[in-house]
Amino acid sequence: MIDTSPNTSHDDPIDVLIVGAGFAGMYMLHRCRQHGLSAHVVEAATDVGGTWYWNRYPGARCDVESLEYSYSFDADLEQEWRWTERYASQPEILSYAQHVAERFDLKRDITFGTRVTAARFDETTSTWQVATHADGTGSEDGGGPEGAASLEARFVVMATGCLSSTNKPDFEGMDDFAGEIYHTGEWPHEGVDFSGKRVGVIGTGSSGIQAIPLIAAECDELTVFQRTPNYSLPAHNGPLDPAWEAWVKTNYPSFRQANREQQAAFGSHVPRNERSALEYSEEERQQIYEERWQAGGFAMTRSFGDLGSDEEANQTAQSFVADKIAELVDDADTAALLTPDQLFACKRMCVDTDYFATYNQDHVHLVDVRSTPIETFTPTGLRVGDTSYDFDIVVLATGYDAMTGSLLRVDFEGRSGQRLTEAWSAGPVTYLGLTVPGFPNLFTVTGPGSPSVLTNMIMAIEQHVEWISDCIVYLTANGLATIEASAQEATAWVGHVNRVAEATLFTTCNSWYLGVNIPGKPRVYMPLMGFPDYVRRCDEVAADGYRTFALA
Ligand code: FAD
Ligand code: NAP
């Protein structure tokens, strides 16, 4: 265990300070060790797992298939781990993370229960001075000391996750509510007992859509407050097909490679039909949609090549889903309210098990809070317009300050005292989604400006971790103390990310990709579409000796 008591000595900085012990931080630590770099991880939670540590709400599971949503860096690990379902549940993914931590003996270099609060780049020593605060929960392994401490490191790698800063809307009267309030992303470890309870759920994104059917199965009365109806495709989850598992495990290297060549880094076995939806007759189109709806998961999003670029083509997918909802939901008014009115796949698609049919149960109610927003919490529940609702438990499935939230919650001070919050006041400015001008030796795993949330994220994480560690090895081998993105390259990069997004229809709706779910956040499309092109750009920069950066 590293000594996190104040360490202001400049004699012995660690090479790499990693913030976060999710899949990104764990692999970063392992990779640093493989390269002989000294590394340490600071993690706010009391264990590894990141997303899968925090999101213990009922129904939490992956919507990328389990044989794909897993590390590829170690062939033995790939072979030995057994997934039980097509889409892994949160407990199974958390067990996998714990297995990885144990297998590679990671925890001895992780301080748990400790948050990085600030980091300042010291231009005289070319090191980061990092302030931490142990929140008092400590570690399940006897970990982090309480109180503040500082660390010194040559490089800081932010493995803090894209969906790790919860968004809790500031509803009036929340503190006066006498019942319990839980955010899906900070779910109690002991679980929540919904039996016999009146429950309100606010939010119908992926988290809400997964949790609602299971909460409904347990509680007495469930009221769902929906602002925007969402597209959700059936998962058709089930036990993992042993023949498919055997095939993938026999062909893992080529299977992974085929996925790396996909735009979203997964789903090579569900090829995208590149032809236009408008080239087909109505009957043919319906048949293609139907087959892909039945295949489950994201298959339908790959039905035609122009769903993301042609409104008329997109409209055909919208109509197909609307018809499905009308079939699945008995009450016509409820079905209409559940039917999305934005472009198909413009907001992050959801994948569900029995979501729409849940509204056929008498004790499940849907309230539209777009036409009349939630006005206030009351001591006994919520008020929407003139109507009051009484609850024992309210679940906030209200999402995240995505992509930039966890980065901006650390008080970063770069060159010449520049703050990250100022540098990003008009939106995140990165080069390759990996580095920030004015903040030397700082790396972001799956940062804004990289494909990140538009991909199978473990694959994106692996690519970033490998790029970052190779870069640090290169600098070290060449006696270089700093690497820094130029403002010019970063401006050009942000322009590139925007141009790629603007060539699609997907900048037009109020998605969290654009930051619009957070009041006051600049409206900027943050992730970069297209994994394979992106990887090629990163590889070219590395192969060229990182010459597009300032090296010193
Ligand atoms: P995280 O897992 O978010 O880990 C970051 C860690 O950093 C956290 O443990 C956090 O506590 C810690 N941290 C943050 N700030 C600090 C700080 N200042 N100091 C110390 N520690 C800090 N992706 C997919 O590809 N497919 C899916 O199906 C999928 N499903 C998802 C389901 C849910 C419910 C959510 C919320 C996300 C899902 N994602 C999915 C995205 C998921 O976040 C990534 O797949 C992946 O787990 C991210 O790993 P990470 O290590 O980058 O970040
Ligand atoms: P989300 O997609 O941002 O959904 C939040 C929901 O809360 C939206 O319906 C939003 O409405 C609503 N909301 C927010 N503030 C509100 C307010 N003040 N009043 C009423 N409603 C409000 O968040 P999420 O569901 O947690 O998902 C976030 C991301 O995590 C997903 O997109 C996905 O990437 C990942 N995830 C994946 C899975 C999976 O299946 N693997 C599961 C969970 C999460 P608006 O739409 O109108 O803003």
Side-chain angles (χ1 to χ4, degrees), residues 173-213:
M174 236 168 153
D175 291 343
D176 302 329
F177 178 56
E180 301 155 42
I181 301 179
Y182 301 104
H183 189 286
T184 50
E186 290 171 0
W187 205 257
H189 290 202
E190 63 280 12
V192 177
D193 183 3
F194 291 105
S195 52
K197 301 279 170 52
R198 299 160 304 169
V199 183
V201 174
I202 304 174
T204 52
S206 297
S207 302
I209 279 176
Q210 284 186 331
I212 285 162

Side-chain angles (χ1 to χ4, degrees), residues 88-405:
S89 67
Q90 172 272 329
E92 192 161 90
I93 303 173
L94 184 57
S95 300
Y96 172 72
Q98 284 159 344
H99 169 75
V100 172
E102 232 166 77
R103 195 181 193 288
F104 298 103
D105 190 20
L106 298 180
K107 288 191 187 177
R108 69 183 154 86
D109 282 322
I110 306 176
T111 300
F112 291 109
T114 302
R115 193 165 276 282
V116 166
T117 52
R120 183 178 62 81
F121 187 70
D122 183 335
E123 295 187 51
T124 58
T125 57
S126 295
T127 58
W128 281 97
Q129 306 294 324
V130 180
T132 68
H133 186 263
D135 65 6
T137 58
S139 156
E140 281 163 3
D141 304 301
E146 293 198 16
S150 70
L151 294 160
E152 185 184 20
R154 292 171 56 214
F155 299 94
V156 169
V157 176
M158 294 301 283
T160 42
C162 295
L163 296 159
S164 51
S165 282
T166 55
N167 168 39
K168 293 182 193 139
D170 191 13
F171 293 113
E172 205 187 304
M174 236 168 153
D175 291 343
D176 302 329
F177 178 56
E180 301 155 42
I181 301 179
Y182 301 104
H183 189 286
T184 50
E186 290 171 0
W187 205 257
H189 290 202
E190 63 280 12
V192 177
D193 183 3
F194 291 105
S195 52
K197 301 279 170 52
R198 299 160 304 169
V199 183
V201 174
I202 304 174
T204 52
S206 297
S207 302
I209 279 176
Q210 284 186 331
I212 285 162
L214 283 115
I215 296 174
E218 204 184 326
C219 70
D220 256 18
E221 287 292 324
L222 173 63
T223 307
V224 176
F225 297 92
Q226 171 191 275
R227 191 163 64 186
T228 309
N230 244 319
Y231 287 97
S232 189
L233 305 173
H236 297 312
N237 190 31
L240 188 58
D241 174 0
W244 173 236
E245 182 189 13
W247 186 89
V248 170
K249 286 195 167 179
T250 308
N251 296 283
Y252 242 142
S254 57
F255 181 67
R256 297 288 197 189
Q257 190 47 38
N259 283 329
R260 280 185 199 102
E261 284 155 20
Q262 298 294 306
Q263 291 299 305
F266 72 98
S268 56
H269 58 296
V270 189
R272 197 168 114 113
N273 174 8
E274 294 298 345
R275 291 177 60 191
S276 166
L278 307 176
E279 284 179 35
Y280 294 84
S281 70
E282 175 65 16
E283 199 184 332
E284 289 166 332
R285 208 166 34 228
Q286 289 296 108
Q287 194 187 331
I288 291 171
Y289 281 139
E290 183 63 35
E291 280 165 10
R292 287 169 179 254
W293 179 274
Q294 294 308 335
F298 291 114
M300 189 189 150
T301 63
R302 295 169 180 216
S303 301
F304 301 106
D306 54 354
L307 296 182
S309 54
D310 185 301
E311 269 198 77
E312 198 185 336
N314 191 288
Q315 178 63 53
T316 65
Q318 295 174 45
S319 306
F320 179 84
V321 177
D323 290 347
K324 282 288 176 196
I325 295 172
E327 270 171 40
L328 290 166
V329 180
D330 298 342
D331 176 66
D333 290 342
T334 307
L337 202 50
L338 286 167
T339 301
D341 49 9
Q342 75 271 18
L343 292 165
F344 175 81
C346 192
K347 293 175 88 138
R348 200 327 188 136
M349 294 293 294
C350 306
V351 173
D352 73 276
T353 298
D354 298 334
Y355 173 65
F356 292 113
T358 299
Y359 292 93
N360 295 334
Q361 300 173 50
D362 290 341
H363 72 297
V364 180
H365 319 284
L366 182 65
V367 176
D368 170 29
V369 291
R370 178 156 58 181
S371 51
T372 314
I374 295 170
E375 199 177 296
T376 181
F377 269 67
T378 65
T380 55
L382 285 179
R383 196 165 63 238
V384 178
D386 294 335
T387 314
S388 290
Y389 300 86
D390 287 348
F391 297 120
D392 303 301
I393 301 173
V394 172
V395 173
L396 300 177
T398 44
Y400 297 87
D401 182 354
M403 305 204 70
T404 54

Side-chain angles (χ1 to χ4, degrees), residues 22-23 26-27 47-49 52 62 66-84 88-104 106-107 249 252 256 458 462:
F23 285 122
M26 290 199 295
Y27 183 37
D47 206 344
V48 296
W52 308 102
C62 210
S66 51
L67 287 165
E68 295 171 75
Y69 189 79
S70 50
Y71 286 125
S72 69
F73 71 80
D74 187 286
D76 293 336
L77 172 67
E78 270 181 341
Q79 292 299 326
E80 78 200 9
W81 184 261
R82 300 291 308 271
W83 297 104
T84 62
S89 67
Q90 172 272 329
E92 192 161 90
I93 303 173
L94 184 57
S95 300
Y96 172 72
Q98 284 159 344
H99 169 75
V100 172
E102 232 166 77
R103 195 181 193 288
F104 298 103
L106 298 180
K107 288 191 187 177
K249 286 195 167 179
Y252 242 142
R256 297 288 197 189
I458 297 195
E462 287 189 324

Side-chain angles (χ1 to χ4, degrees), residues 482-498:
T482 59
I483 182 166
E484 185 177 350
S486 75
Q488 213 180 351
E489 291 289 356
T491 304
W493 186 255
V494 173
H496 169 65
V497 175
N498 289 337

Side-chain angles (χ1 to χ4, degrees), residues 416-430:
S416 314
Q418 190 186 12
R419 290 304 209 281
L420 190 62
T421 42
E422 288 159 18
W424 285 11
S425 57
V429 181
T430 72

